[in-house]
Amino acid sequence: MKIRTHSESHIVKLDDGSRWQIFPGDLDVTLDRKPETELDVVATKGDVGSHALIGAGGVARVIRAGESWSVREVRSTLKNG
């Protein structure tokens, strides 16, 4: 898939119409991605987020736009690096 829009730093819309909220600790991974960047969306288990966007620059953990991050998970993950 490719990026349709990335107008907000933490929200990305893909060309299939899906919208994803990027994990705060992974925003730096997504900053250089361009609309032509090929991305794979994969389901994840046991890590923060429900899915990951894999492409140029690495892996960004995501949840569907409109969902909320668990404050405890975010704090724990950011604290532990």
Side-chain angles (χ1 to χ4, degrees), residues 32-52:
D32 290 331
R33 290 183 175 166
K34 309 279 189 256
E36 61 273 7
T37 301
E38 289 286 339
L39 297 171
D40 291 314
V41 179
V42 296
T44 59
K45 292 184 181 179
D47 195 9
V48 66
S50 61
H51 291 76

Side-chain angles (χ1 to χ4, degrees), residues 15 38 57 66 73:
D15 60 2
E38 289 286 339
E73 280 183 334

